[in-house]
Amino acid sequence: MGIAENVAAVRARIEAAAGGRRVLLVAASKMNGADRVREAVAAGVDACGENRVQELVEKRAAGAYEGAGLHFIGHLQRNKVKYLVGGGVGLIESVDSVELLGDISARAQRLGVVQDVLLEVNIAGELSKSGVSPERLPELLDFAAAQEGLRVRGLMAIPPISVIPGANRPYFARMYELFVDIGGKKYDNTSMDFLSMGMSGDFEDAIAEGANMVRVGSAIFGARDYGAGR
């Protein structure tokens, strides 16, 4: 199937899992060129999500994202913030430190904008992954409450890779508990609007546990050829 047919199939699976709830579809477009991204946008994805700043900048210059939202979903180095804030990136999903929050806020204030972010949680405590531990979330939320240049719009997580169906549901369930708990505490400058979790292999489980935003790559674009580069 082509990209348009894949998007339609993913949409149907999302609708079946969501039971009437609205779930946003972010096309994880890493290592897909501008033409393929435009196909996904034309097929009706809600947003495109990029993992690499350089790739985002190149495809943004080529007009690849016109007609859809643009998210950054990869690990963000502090010296790359300037390429995202004020550059049409609607949501930075992968913020995991006070220092990064401060850099984003400072850049946004200089430009006279407000940047929406999600806090990335390392829900399984994996050493190989970025994200803040659940125990440190209050520290980030307290800091963000005083930042005029940003808004915390929710949480994001990438649970462990597993080939066992349903294995990640406990992690998704824990994320939903955090999402609800934070929302009930009414932190300043924070609204729990988005819970971004679930990828091609497990987005239906994520939706069943409360996700309202999923990041889908290979189910839309096909398997990535890492040997071919971009």
Side-chain angles (χ1 to χ4, degrees):
M1 292 195 298
I3 289 173
E5 292 82 5
N6 289 342
V7 169
V10 169
R11 282 284 191 198
R13 291 169 60 189
I14 287 173
E15 290 173 8
R21 291 188 295 116
R22 175 153 168 72
V23 177
L24 298 178
L25 173 57
V26 179
S29 44
K30 174 183 176 182
M31 297 179 69
N32 285 278
D35 288 343
R36 290 173 61 78
V37 173
R38 278 190 282 266
E39 285 188 59
V41 171
V45 300
D46 295 297
C48 298
E50 292 291 353
N51 289 69
R52 300 171 176 172
V53 171
Q54 182 179 348
E55 195 172 342
L56 181 151
V57 170
E58 291 170 356
K59 284 187 271 190
R60 181 175 60 194
Y65 310 115
E66 293 177 9
L70 176 56
H71 296 186
F72 187 76
I73 60 177
H75 176 66
L76 179 57
Q77 296 174 328
R78 293 173 63 188
N79 64 349
K80 300 293 181 65
V81 165
K82 60 186 176 183
Y83 297 108
L84 304 185
V85 177
V89 178
L91 190 63
I92 301 175
E93 296 198 26
S94 48
V95 179
D96 62 359
S97 70
V98 164
E99 292 79 10
L100 189 53
L101 283 169
D103 290 344
I104 291 169
S105 180
R107 173 73 175 173
Q109 288 184 74
R110 284 197 296 272
L111 296 175
V113 300
V114 176
Q115 177 66 56
D116 287 343
V117 305
L118 303 185
L119 300 181
E120 181 179 358
V121 182
N122 188 343
I123 193 61
E126 296 179 273
L127 296 178
S128 62
K129 287 185 179 173
S130 55
V132 65
S133 68
E135 295 75 22
R136 289 192 58 217
L137 270 174
E139 176 187 346
L140 271 65
L141 291 160
D142 286 338
F143 182 83
Q147 303 303 306
E148 296 181 2
L150 58 80
R151 287 184 297 243
V152 175
R153 300 291 303 278
L155 304 177
M156 183 268 258
I158 305 172
I161 296 172
S162 176
V163 297
I164 303 172
N168 280 333
R169 290 192 68 152
Y171 298 114
F172 294 141
R174 176 59 179 143
M175 283 297 303
Y176 185 71
E177 290 176 359
L178 291 170
F179 181 74
V180 171
D181 181 62
I182 292 168
K185 290 180 177 177
K186 306 293 184 184
Y187 283 92
D188 290 342
N189 207 26
T190 294
S191 57
M192 288 291 107
D193 299 317
F194 303 119
L195 179 55
S196 176
M197 58 185 189
M199 298 185 287
S200 290
D202 57 14
F203 67 82
E204 288 150 312
D205 286 340
I207 292 168
E209 297 294 345
N212 60 12
M213 182 184 292
V214 296
R215 308 177 308 276
V216 178
S218 60
I220 291 175
F221 297 105
R224 297 184 181 105
D225 182 0
Y226 287 94
R230 289 205 306 273

